[in-house]
Amino acid sequence: MSSFHELIAFERETQALGQIAGRLGWDQETMMPRGAAPQRGEEMAAIEAVLHARRSDPRVADWLETAKAPDDIGAAQLREIRRAYERAVKVPGELASKIARVTSEAQGKWAQARADEDVAAFLPVLEEVVALKRKEGQALAAGGNLYDAMVADYEQGTTSSEIAEIFNAMRPGLVDLRARVLEQPTPAGLAGTFDENAQMKLARKIAKTFGYDMSHGRVDKAVHPFSSGSGLDVRITTRTNPLDPFNCIYSTIHEVGHGAYEQNIDRVHLLTSLGRGVSMGVHESQSRIYENQIGRSRAFTGWLFKEMREAFGDIGVSSEDAFYAAVNRVQNGYIRTEADELQYNLHIMLRFDLERALMLGDLEVQDLEAAWNDRFLADFGYAVDKPSNGCLQDVHWSVGLFGYFPTYSLGNVYAGCLHEALRRDVTDLDVQLAEGDTSVATGWLRENLQQFGGLREPRDTITHAAGSAPTHQPLMTYLETKFSEIYNL
């Protein structure tokens, strides 16, 4: 067997073990007994130790030295394996294992602190997570910018300064449009109580409508919606609120975007380094275009309005136009995952600046709540009322996902480029969406982007699909056009 084939066989086993680790995380969020958290932390640490040992195995370096790629796919596999190996050998195995153990425990403590509205109960373990992630960042950066090294885990080829440049270009337009919209009357929202079992039934129907394959996936409930797995086992979660069915519906569509990306990757890449989404920014482009440009479009909401009426009866709005305005209404709120398209990126910009400061030592954990509250007041014009609406609302920092948040807005930028290209190529898109048929839209995404997995680098992936290099301008044009029409600006 050649060096290349020995390496790929070894990599397949490593990828399979990684899927097992992911399933442990899924179980922890959905079905694990609360009292099992300490043991689960040990289990996660043990499997992370095995994974780290494999990823940093000296044989990988030997194979990489002599392996000859048989084709472009093989060359891309070697590129990704080399990147993972070079990262793994920089981080001591003991540190990787400790991060896995502490973040597993921190996740449970975050959930309890969030439920209790008790920031003080969470800060000690968060302080430990931050200290460990700083050590990891220093190891990865090797004297460079440690936050850039963390961003590279989620969006390779992009630096924090490049992200800041994009955000700085977007912020003035977002703030201006938000101010003009909020001067107008707020459209009526839904009214009534919405049975949570009925919400889950509708959520599963909508998941199938967007092409999610239930024979290789499932929809469950979690505190914080997420997607898990790849290939033949891709699972998503959502959440319900009896007073706000949109929370469930659009969380589901969002996670279906993630899940469908993983399900639609060409099976030739199964359990290889190319058999998953290429980056979190590209992943978010799929979840956001499913959720927003498709799911919140005038055409699709016309179909959804009928489905809502059938599922719940009187929902408080009586026309498709009123329903469309309700789906897209802009109003004050605290929760990132519930934010409208217009304000969502402002939530991300806040988190990006705070976590970068945390990692670079410009902000200490004990000062995080005050810094969050001050920034939120400055950006949104009103004060945070409770911790679950403030610095305790997101799970990401508890599990050590520093560098992850900016990819949400990069995903929005990418989605803007993809939507522009989709509209160019599919001229009758709205006719299909009005019938609840998303197959051409999702098929376009599958054929132009999803099937390739990690074959290309992130920006090249978007450029290939959209036909031009990514820029924030299509997103800003889309937002200005859409909300100007809804609010008669």
Side-chain angles (χ1 to χ4, degrees), residues 317-331:
V317 296
S318 57
S319 71
E320 292 182 10
D321 286 339
F323 183 78
Y324 173 58
V327 166
N328 290 286
R329 68 177 185 159
V330 177
Q331 59 182 340

Side-chain angles (χ1 to χ4, degrees), residues 342-407:
L342 174 52
Q343 299 186 88
Y344 184 90
N345 292 304
L346 295 174
H347 287 270
I348 296 303
M349 293 170 187
L350 178 154
R351 288 157 175 77
F352 168 68
D353 287 340
L354 291 181
E355 74 171 22
R356 182 167 55 160
L358 275 173
M359 285 299 105
L360 296 178
D362 298 328
L363 174 66
E364 295 304 324
V365 171
Q366 296 301 321
D367 300 321
L368 175 61
E369 182 181 22
W372 179 296
N373 292 347
D374 289 346
R375 173 65 180 269
F376 189 90
L377 179 61
D379 283 3
F380 292 89
Y382 49 97
V384 172
D385 61 345
K386 57 184 179 181
S388 62
N389 282 336
C391 66
L392 289 184
Q393 69 177 268
D394 294 302
V395 70
H396 300 61
W397 290 340
S398 70
V399 294
L401 298 180
F402 292 92
Y404 190 123
F405 272 124
T407 66

Side-chain angles (χ1 to χ4, degrees), residues 73 76-77 79-80 156 230-231 260-270 272-280 282-283 286 445-462 464:
I73 290 176
Q77 289 174 329
R79 180 195 72 215
E80 293 303 312
Q156 59 269 28
S230 65
Y261 185 8
E262 294 292 341
Q263 288 184 336
N264 289 334
I265 294 172
D266 193 316
R267 293 288 188 264
V268 73
H269 302 315
L270 185 67
T272 75
S273 56
L274 307 184
R276 57 183 184 270
V278 66
S279 74
M280 287 316 305
V282 176
H283 239 300
Q286 301 308 284
L445 291 166
R446 180 182 64 251
E447 291 303 312
N448 289 283
L449 188 149
Q450 294 172 357
Q451 66 166 316
F452 301 112
L455 182 63
R456 300 180 179 90
E457 296 280 18
R459 290 188 181 183
D460 292 339
T461 297
I462 300 300
H464 176 269

Side-chain angles (χ1 to χ4, degrees), residues 150-445:
M150 293 176 174
V151 169
D153 274 345
Y154 307 103
E155 197 69 15
Q156 59 269 28
T158 299
T159 66
S160 58
S161 61
E162 291 171 334
I163 293 169
E165 183 176 350
I166 294 170
F167 287 0
N168 290 338
M170 292 170 62
R171 190 192 303 265
L174 291 173
V175 171
D176 174 68
L177 181 57
R178 175 180 180 271
R180 286 186 283 130
V181 165
L182 289 177
E183 289 176 351
Q184 304 303 313
T186 302
L190 303 188
T193 301
F194 300 84
D195 179 77
E196 294 179 81
N197 289 328
Q199 289 186 44
M200 290 300 296
K201 182 179 179 181
L202 180 57
R204 291 187 174 95
K205 179 176 182 177
I206 290 172
K208 295 176 185 177
T209 297
F210 275 85
Y212 183 64
D213 183 356
M214 296 293 286
S215 69
H216 293 110
R218 53 184 294 134
V219 182
D220 295 278
K221 291 173 68 172
V223 173
H224 191 104
F226 68 98
S227 174
S228 174
S230 65
L232 304 180
D233 189 346
V234 181
R235 309 180 187 194
I236 68 171
T237 66
T238 188
R239 60 185 174 197
T240 58
N241 180 331
L243 300 179
D244 180 15
F246 287 156
N247 194 320
C248 177
I249 290 168
Y250 283 99
S251 290
T252 301
I253 297 174
H254 179 99
E255 298 306 332
V256 164
H258 285 303
Y261 185 8
E262 294 292 341
Q263 288 184 336
N264 289 334
I265 294 172
D266 193 316
R267 293 288 188 264
V268 73
H269 302 315
L270 185 67
L271 292 179
T272 75
S273 56
L274 307 184
R276 57 183 184 270
V278 66
S279 74
M280 287 316 305
V282 176
H283 239 300
E284 285 301 318
S285 77
Q286 301 308 284
S287 62
R288 297 301 281 180
I289 196 172
Y290 274 51
E291 176 189 357
N292 293 326
Q293 282 92 342
I294 299 174
R296 297 183 194 272
S297 68
R298 175 62 181 83
F300 184 79
T301 57
W303 175 84
L304 182 59
F305 172 68
K306 300 180 183 70
E307 295 294 319
M308 291 281 289
R309 292 274 292 241
E310 183 176 334
F312 303 109
D314 182 13
I315 60 175
V317 296
S318 57
S319 71
E320 292 182 10
D321 286 339
F323 183 78
Y324 173 58
V327 166
N328 290 286
R329 68 177 185 159
V330 177
Q331 59 182 340
N332 290 340
Y334 302 100
I335 304 299
R336 171 186 64 86
T337 56
E338 299 170 10
D340 53 80
E341 292 178 83
L342 174 52
Q343 299 186 88
Y344 184 90
N345 292 304
L346 295 174
H347 287 270
I348 296 303
M349 293 170 187
L350 178 154
R351 288 157 175 77
F352 168 68
D353 287 340
L354 291 181
E355 74 171 22
R356 182 167 55 160
L358 275 173
M359 285 299 105
L360 296 178
D362 298 328
L363 174 66
E364 295 304 324
V365 171
Q366 296 301 321
D367 300 321
L368 175 61
E369 182 181 22
W372 179 296
N373 292 347
D374 289 346
R375 173 65 180 269
F376 189 90
L377 179 61
D379 283 3
F380 292 89
Y382 49 97
V384 172
D385 61 345
K386 57 184 179 181
S388 62
N389 282 336
C391 66
L392 289 184
Q393 69 177 268
D394 294 302
V395 70
H396 300 61
W397 290 340
S398 70
V399 294
L401 298 180
F402 292 92
Y404 190 123
F405 272 124
T407 66
Y408 285 117
S409 282
L410 287 177
N412 283 331
V413 169
Y414 295 161
C417 300
L418 295 170
H419 179 244
E420 183 178 66
L422 171 62
R423 289 278 176 184
R424 180 191 65 222
D425 292 350
V426 184
T427 56
D428 64 340
L429 179 62
D430 285 337
V431 174
Q432 298 169 50
L433 295 180
E435 298 297 322
D437 182 2
T438 70
S439 61
V440 173
T442 57
W444 186 94
L445 291 166

